[in-house]
């Protein structure tokens, strides 16, 4: 299996190279040249496997330059029983009728990012051994809140790696911030930036592709890589849980082998839902992929009209991990859906960076709409959904998951399409205790600090508090740096102790 770039399809790299490098030199994203196909019998046979075996069955097809021992080492190291609070790793839970929730937040940082970022450091170190000639890998991360912590936790004290995380100073929840600023480990650093996630992500992408900076690192025997979902190694672990959810639905008797399901994904950078698209292309019977946004609904507009326009107000919402106006992984979808038209993708991405917008042909958006539906939820919708689902079904969802649940309810009301459905749940409600508790209490926010808020939410709802969040209370703050986005490159050098 070889990989190419969305902006230059003459490129051919192995999976190890794609993962170690993170992003292609000309700024494109690595994508597989072709997708493996699974028959429905092969998928149904995965239903009797534990998560780690399901993972190996899918990953084996993509990481063809990894040996079976390497694959086993990576997967068994990542999805360990002492790191995930559910033995199923990513359990599918029935809420009501055909409405099922895929809980992706049982890992060590309580967000779905763990599903990929527990595995990525293993994939990265094995890949670096194959391709990076002993260089130290410097992972640069821009985070809207959850990636940062999950990447820090995954890479902490991993040999021959350093990790630097940038987060928007006012753009993360108090719990997300505490998780990052208290991070332990010898090879980690965290810095806030005056700006939003898009500013952080754009600055990180330009640092990656800056020839002078790369040269400076090379002289120190270092190289950059990415733990954001621009890295193929972030996406490939996410494909697994769509197979796994389908298997769970079989095991729960909700469907028979071959029946179609719908999938709903609370979306920001378009990585999670894109993994669902890959799963569908590989043979998982998914009818529609429903893209759910919060008030930053740039993707809803794109999927409805074919025009992507980031020139709009940016909202800071209660679902901060989706406060994104530049969705990086849409680039990969455009590449696949346009018949691998790298010239078109390059020109669309140039328009996006120059003018903040682009429009695709009617033919192309038509093809996309045959697979994707979209909707968005307001802040009031999110609160009402958290409350109604707790009151009616005793199911407590976080703010991001509530966006998806609301968009799904709207989709069913509009289309009548209520086939068995899987809704991705991307974070523990305790990462956003204040917003969730306020919603459950019908709009009253108690005057409490973050940890008392957690306790109160537990008292009111009875939902279990994840141990990794409870233990933060006793941790020391280690990182209080703040910088301007223009100064991020200098900050990188200073954090690496080089100039
Ligand atoms: C990152 C994140 C999302 C958005 O996922 P993308 O892959 O960026 O679309 C949604 N919810 C939560 C809780 C997240 O951390």
């Amino acid at each position: 299996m070889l990989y190419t770039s969305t902006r230059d399809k003459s490129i051919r790299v192995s999976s190890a190279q794609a993962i170690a490098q993170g992003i292609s030199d000309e700024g494109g994203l690595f994508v597989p040249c072709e997708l493996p196909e699974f028959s429905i019998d092969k998928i149904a046979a995965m239903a009797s496997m534990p998560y780690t075996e399901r993972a190996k069955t899918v990953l084996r097809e993509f990481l063809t330059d990894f040996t079976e021992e390497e694959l086993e080492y990576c997967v068994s190291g990542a999805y360990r029983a002492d790191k995930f609070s559910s033995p199923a790793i990513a359990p599918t839970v029935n809420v009501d009728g055909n409405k099922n929730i895929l809980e992706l937040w049982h890992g060590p940082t309580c967000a779905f990012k763990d599903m990929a970022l527990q595995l990525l450091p293993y994939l990265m170190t094995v890949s670096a051994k194959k391709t990076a000639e002993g260089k130290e890998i410097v992972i640069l991360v821009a985070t809207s809140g959850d990636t940062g912590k999950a990447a820090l936790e995954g890479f902490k004290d991993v040999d021959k790696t350093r990790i630097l995380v940038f987060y928007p100073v006012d753009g993360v929840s108090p719990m997300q911030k505490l998780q990052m600023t208290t991070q332990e480990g010898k090879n980690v650093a965290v810095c806030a930036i005056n700006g939003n996630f898009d500013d952080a992500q754009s600055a990180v992408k330009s640092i990656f592709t800056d020839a002078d900076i790369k040269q400076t690192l090379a002289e120190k025997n270092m190289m950059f890589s990415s733990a954001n979902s621009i890295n193929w190694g972030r996406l490939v672990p996410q494909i697994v849980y769509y197979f796994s959810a389908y298997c769970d639905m079989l095991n729960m008797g909700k469907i028979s082998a071959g029946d179609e399901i719908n999938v709903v994904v609370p979306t920001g950078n378009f990585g999670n839902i894109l993994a669902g698209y890959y799963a569908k292309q590989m043979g998982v019977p998914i009818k529609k992929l429903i893209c759910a946004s919060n008030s930053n609904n740039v993707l809803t507009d794109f999927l409805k009209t074919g025009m992507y326009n980031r020139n709009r107000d940016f909202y800071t919402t209660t679902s901060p991990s989706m406060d994104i106006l530049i969705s990086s992984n849409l680039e990969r979808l455009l590449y696949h859906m346009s018949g691998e038209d790298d010239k078109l993708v390059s020109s669309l991405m140039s328009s996006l960076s120059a003018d903040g917008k682009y429009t695709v042909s009617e033919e192309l958006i038509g093809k996309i709409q045959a697979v994707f539906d979209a909707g968005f939820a307001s802040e009031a919708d999110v609160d009402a959904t958290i409350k109604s689902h707790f009151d009616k079904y005793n199911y407590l969802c976080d703010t991001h998951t509530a966006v998806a649940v609301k968009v799904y309810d709207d989709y069913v009301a509009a289309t009548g399409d209520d086939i068995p459905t899987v809704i991705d749940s991307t974070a523990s409600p305790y990462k956003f205790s204040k917003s969730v508790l306020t919603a459950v209490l019908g709009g009253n926010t108690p005057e409490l600090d973050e940890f008392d808020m957690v306790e109160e939410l537990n008292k009111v709802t009875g939902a279990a508090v994840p141990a990794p969040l409870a233990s933060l209370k006793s941790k020391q703050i280690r990182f209080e740096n703040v910088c301007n986005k223009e100064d991020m490159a200098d900050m990188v050098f200073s954090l690496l102790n080089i100039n």
Side-chain angles (χ1 to χ4, degrees):
M1 162 87 60
L2 290 170
Y3 295 78
T4 186
S5 165
T6 51
R7 298 189 199 176
D8 178 357
K9 68 177 178 184
S10 69
I11 287 175
R12 287 289 177 280
V13 298
S14 65
S15 73
Q17 202 176 333
I19 291 167
Q21 202 175 320
I23 186 166
S24 187
D25 284 328
E26 81 298 335
L29 305 183
F30 291 120
V31 286
C33 291
E34 81 263 16
L35 285 175
E37 279 178 33
F38 281 57
S39 68
I40 192 63
D41 290 344
K42 183 165 178 183
I43 295 170
M46 293 166 69
S48 60
M49 299 176 185
Y51 192 85
T52 45
E53 290 302 317
R54 292 175 184 175
K56 279 193 280 178
T57 306
V58 174
L59 295 172
R60 189 177 289 127
E61 305 292 332
F62 285 101
L63 309 174
T64 49
D65 50 339
F66 282 47
T67 66
E68 197 57 31
E69 292 70 38
E70 286 168 341
L71 190 62
E72 168 64 29
Y73 161 76
C74 292
V75 169
S76 61
Y79 303 114
R80 279 178 12 208
D82 60 333
K83 292 198 172 172
F84 283 78
S85 64
S86 165
I89 306 295
T92 308
V93 177
N94 181 254
V95 173
D96 180 48
N98 278 342
K99 189 187 263 185
N100 302 277
I101 301 243
L102 172 60
E103 293 182 347
L104 298 168
W105 43 262
H106 290 279
T109 77
C110 309
F112 93 96
K113 303 296 197 293
D114 289 325
M115 298 302 301
L117 282 163
Q118 282 297 306
L119 184 61
L120 183 64
Y122 289 95
L123 300 181
M124 184 80 78
T125 44
V126 170
S127 298
K129 264 199 206 115
K130 293 179 191 291
T131 63
E133 298 143 1
K135 287 201 179 77
E136 186 170 33
I137 304 236
V138 178
I139 309 286
L140 275 193
V141 181
T143 184
S144 57
D146 290 325
T147 294
K149 176 61 183 180
L152 288 161
E153 201 54 38
F155 280 97
K156 90 173 162 203
D157 296 330
V158 171
D159 204 30
K160 293 193 90 61
T161 69
R162 303 278 291 267
I163 172 159
L164 312 180
V165 170
F166 293 92
Y167 70 92
V169 68
D170 295 320
V172 301
S173 81
M175 187 61 88
Q176 288 177 315
K177 183 169 177 177
L178 264 175
Q179 283 186 300
M180 291 188 279
T181 55
T182 58
Q183 178 65 43
E184 292 161 358
K186 292 189 291 293
N187 61 339
V188 308
V190 175
C191 181
I193 71 149
N194 294 310
N196 61 34
F197 170 74
D198 292 314
D199 297 324
Q201 174 162 259
S202 300
V204 161
K205 272 196 196 166
S206 74
I207 294 173
F208 272 135
T209 43
D210 183 312
D212 290 343
I213 300 180
K214 263 201 257 183
Q215 180 59 32
T216 308
L217 256 77
E219 284 160 14
K220 306 282 175 193
N221 204 26
M222 294 176 171
M223 67 178 269
F224 283 130
S225 191
S226 169
N228 282 100
S229 54
I230 54 176
N231 192 323
W232 175 252
R234 260 288 296 277
L235 282 186
V236 69
Q238 297 182 183
I239 298 171
V240 173
Y241 51 70
Y242 290 100
F243 283 82
S244 181
Y246 192 84
C247 290
D248 290 348
M249 293 283 280
L250 286 172
N251 289 344
M252 290 156 78
K254 297 284 170 196
I255 51 171
S256 306
D259 289 352
E260 287 189 312
I261 61 170
N262 283 326
V263 167
V264 192
V265 185
T267 297
N269 226 354
F270 211 76
N272 198 358
I273 196 166
L274 184 73
Y277 169 74
Y278 284 126
K280 174 176 164 65
Q281 296 307 101
M282 290 167 67
V284 178
I286 295 173
K287 182 178 171 194
K288 281 271 174 175
L289 290 153
I290 300 162
C291 175
S293 299
N294 65 23
S295 316
N296 295 297
N297 56 0
V298 63
L299 284 168
T300 316
D301 290 347
F302 172 71
L303 291 168
K304 297 275 184 206
T305 69
M307 185 196 196
Y308 193 97
N309 189 352
R310 63 157 301 202
N311 303 308
R312 58 176 71 213
D313 290 336
F314 176 87
Y315 300 103
T316 301
T317 72
T318 55
S319 43
S321 302
M322 293 155 64
D323 291 346
I324 292 176
L325 292 178
I326 307 175
S327 278
S328 295
N329 277 296
L330 196 55
E331 177 169 347
R332 287 184 163 112
L333 183 73
L334 293 169
Y335 178 79
H336 295 301
M337 285 273 186
S338 66
E340 307 178 351
D341 189 342
D342 54 348
K343 303 277 179 316
L344 174 72
V345 172
S346 300
S347 91
L348 295 176
M349 293 304 123
S350 304
S351 316
L352 181 62
S353 69
D355 310 324
K357 60 184 179 184
Y358 59 79
T359 304
V360 303
S361 69
E362 270 184 34
E363 188 197 346
L364 178 49
I365 195 63
K367 269 187 175 172
I368 294 174
Q369 285 166 343
V371 180
F372 288 84
D373 210 293
F376 71 98
S378 69
E379 299 289 274
D381 290 337
V382 167
D383 291 352
T385 302
I386 292 173
K387 181 159 175 58
S388 67
H389 279 66
F390 181 69
D391 291 348
K392 246 198 242 164
Y393 310 118
N394 199 30
Y395 190 87
L396 188 65
C397 50
D398 95 292
T399 45
H400 304 75
T401 307
V403 167
V405 171
K406 167 65 179 164
V407 167
Y408 174 63
D409 288 346
D410 289 350
Y411 171 83
V412 173
T415 62
D417 178 18
D418 63 351
I419 64 169
T421 294
V422 169
I423 303 173
D424 284 11
S425 176
T426 48
S428 157
Y430 285 99
K431 281 195 103 162
F432 308 94
S433 295
K434 181 175 176 183
S435 304
V436 172
L437 181 59
T438 303
V440 169
L441 296 177
N444 303 313
T445 309
E447 284 292 321
L448 296 170
D449 80 9
E450 187 62 17
F451 290 103
D452 291 339
M453 204 72 84
V454 166
E455 266 175 39
E456 188 63 22
L457 183 57
N458 172 258
K459 238 188 263 163
V460 171
T461 65
V465 183
L469 297 184
S471 72
L472 284 179
K473 195 171 178 173
S474 59
K475 297 239 159 99
Q476 216 67 38
I477 305 270
R478 289 185 67 203
F479 301 102
E480 290 178 295
N481 308 325
V482 187
C483 77
N484 291 326
K485 59 190 177 190
E486 305 76 41
D487 303 327
M488 273 173 61
D490 289 338
M491 183 54 86
V492 167
F493 289 142
S494 133
L495 293 172
L496 292 173
N497 281 322
I498 58 180
N499 44 37

